[in-house]
C-alpha cells in the first residue's frame, strides 16, 4: 500500500502531522508493507530565494494578524509540537523559499533517503537556531549529508535550477487536481484522503480502512493460454 503525503518544510502543521502519522504507522501491523512517498507543495510558491523575513512578520503581513495574534499562534503550535515530543522554537525563526528543499527531496527519493532528509529539514527549520534560509546552499548541503546523501551530488543539484524542478511542479499540479488546498494532505492508495494534522487515531483508522480494501490482483483463470515471458514465447507444438 502506498501513502503519499503533500507537505512543505515551512508548514508547522506538516511537522506535527508527520509525527502523528509516524506514530500511527509505527503501530500499524502491516507497516512493513506501506510505502510512504513525500510530495511537494509550496505554501509560498514564487517567493524569491533571497526573500527571507521573520515568521511573525510574514504572518502579520500575509494573513493580516496582529503581532500578538501571530505570537499566540506560534505558542499554540509550540505546545502542539511538544505534545508529540517535538522541539519547536516559537520565536526567532524565519521564512523563505522552500523550492530548493523540495528539489533535494526528489533527489533524495531516488537515493532512498527521502524520509530521512525531510525529517532533518523539519528539525532544522523548526527546532534549531541556525536558519535554513539565510546561510546559502552549504547549509542545505550539510543537512543533506546528514541524511546520507553525497555532498558533491547535492551541490550539483542545487547549482542547476532546473534539476527536479519539473518534478516539484508536477507534484503541485497533482495536488490541485486531487483537491488539496492546504497541507499536510495524505492520500492512501489513491482511495482515501486525510487533510490536516489529524490525531494519530484518525491516521490509524485511515490506514486500517485503506488496507482492508487493498488486495492483490485477482486473476480470472480460464486455463492455460499462450503467453510470452522472460524465457521467450510459447510456441504451439503440432
Amino acid at each position: 500500500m502506498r501513502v503519499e503525503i503533500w507537505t512543505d518544510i515551512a508548514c508547522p502543521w506538516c511537522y506535527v502531522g508527520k509525527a502523528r502519522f509516524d506514530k500511527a504507522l509505527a503501530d500499524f501491523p502491516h507497516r512493513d508493507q506501506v510505502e510512504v512517498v513525500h510530495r511537494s507543495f509550496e505554501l509560498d510558491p514564487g517567493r524569491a530565494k533571497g526573500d527571507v523575513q521573520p515568521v511573525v512578520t510574514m504572518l502579520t503581513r500575509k494573513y493580516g494578524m496582529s503581532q500578538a495574534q501571530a505570537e499566540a499562534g506560534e505558542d499554540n503550535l509550540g505546545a502542539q509540537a511538544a505534545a508529540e515530543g517535538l522541539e519547536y522554537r516559537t520565536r526567532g525563526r524565519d521564512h523563505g523559499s522552500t523550492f530548493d528543499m523540495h528539489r533535494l527531496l526528489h533527489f533524495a527519493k531516488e537515493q532512498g533517503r527521502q524520509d530521512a532528509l525531510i525529517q532533518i529539514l523539519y528539525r532544522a527549520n523548526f527546532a534549531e537556531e541556525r536558519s535554513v534560509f539565510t546561510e546559502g546552499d552549504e547549509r542545505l548541503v550539510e543537512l543533506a549529508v546528514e541524511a546520507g546523501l553525497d555532498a558533491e551530488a547535492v551541490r550539483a543539484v542545487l547549482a542547476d535550477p532546473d534539476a527536479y524542478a519539473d518534478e516539484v511542479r508536477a507534484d503541485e499540479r497533482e495536488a490541485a487536481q486531487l483537491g488539496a488546498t492546504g497541507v499536510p494532505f495524505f492520500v492512501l492508495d489513491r482511495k482515501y484522503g486525510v487533510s490536516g494534522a489529524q490525531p494519530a487515531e484518525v491516521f490509524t483508522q485511515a490506514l486500517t480502512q485503506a488496507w482492508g480494501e487493498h488486495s492483490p490482483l485477482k486473476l480470472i483463470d480460464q486455463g492455460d493460454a499462450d503467453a510470452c515471458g522472460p524465457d521467450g514465447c510459447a510456441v504451439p507444438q503440432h
Side-chain angles (χ1 to χ4, degrees):
M1 185 170 75
R2 170 180 280 199
V3 178
E4 297 162 277
I5 311 175
W6 272 263
T7 57
D8 191 8
I9 300 302
C11 164
W13 287 118
C14 297
Y15 180 47
V16 173
K18 183 181 188 303
R20 292 174 178 172
F21 172 79
D22 286 348
K23 180 180 178 181
L25 183 61
D27 293 334
F28 186 58
H30 307 289
R31 61 186 176 275
D32 293 339
Q33 299 176 65
V34 177
E35 177 192 11
V36 178
V37 179
H38 297 283
R39 301 291 192 192
S40 299
F41 188 109
E42 294 171 277
L43 291 175
D44 205 352
R47 176 180 281 266
K49 188 172 180 176
D51 184 4
V52 181
Q53 61 186 163
V55 166
V56 169
T57 302
M58 180 274 295
L59 292 171
T60 59
R61 292 179 179 175
K62 186 172 183 178
Y63 300 107
M65 296 180 177
S66 68
Q67 181 168 331
Q69 288 173 322
E71 290 178 347
E74 284 293 284
D75 290 339
N76 175 56
L77 281 162
Q80 297 276 351
E84 304 303 328
L86 301 172
E87 295 183 43
Y88 188 99
R89 295 179 65 235
T90 61
R91 300 292 185 274
R93 291 191 305 107
D94 52 23
H95 176 80
S97 171
T98 56
F99 186 61
D100 283 350
M101 298 180 210
H102 285 295
R103 295 196 300 116
L104 283 180
L105 285 165
H106 278 278
F107 170 66
K109 180 177 182 294
E110 292 182 348
Q111 310 301 313
R113 307 303 300 166
Q114 189 185 49
D115 193 73
L117 179 58
I118 199 169
Q119 192 63 37
I120 287 169
L121 290 172
Y122 277 141
R123 184 205 70 209
N125 185 42
F126 292 108
E128 296 182 358
E129 289 189 17
R130 292 177 62 192
S131 174
V132 295
F133 300 109
T134 61
E135 294 191 22
D137 288 351
E138 282 306 303
R139 175 64 169 145
L140 295 182
V141 172
E142 175 188 322
L143 295 170
V145 168
E146 184 181 343
L149 297 170
D150 177 75
E152 290 308 312
V154 171
R155 289 189 182 98
V157 171
L158 292 172
D160 179 2
D162 293 328
Y164 301 96
D166 288 345
E167 287 82 350
V168 174
R169 298 307 183 209
D171 276 359
E172 294 174 336
R173 287 193 300 270
E174 194 166 13
Q177 292 166 0
L178 289 170
T181 57
V183 284
F185 187 70
F186 301 76
V187 176
L188 293 79
D189 245 11
R190 290 300 170 111
K191 291 182 179 179
Y192 295 99
V194 178
S195 181
Q198 300 286 348
E201 294 78 13
V202 173
F203 291 121
T204 297
Q205 179 183 358
L207 286 165
T208 301
Q209 188 167 348
W211 183 265
E213 297 185 14
H214 176 83
S215 60
L217 184 70
K218 294 181 180 179
L219 295 176
I220 299 175
D221 189 357
Q222 297 291 341
D224 292 335
D226 296 331
C228 293
D231 297 324
C233 297
V235 178
Q237 302 295 316
H238 298 289

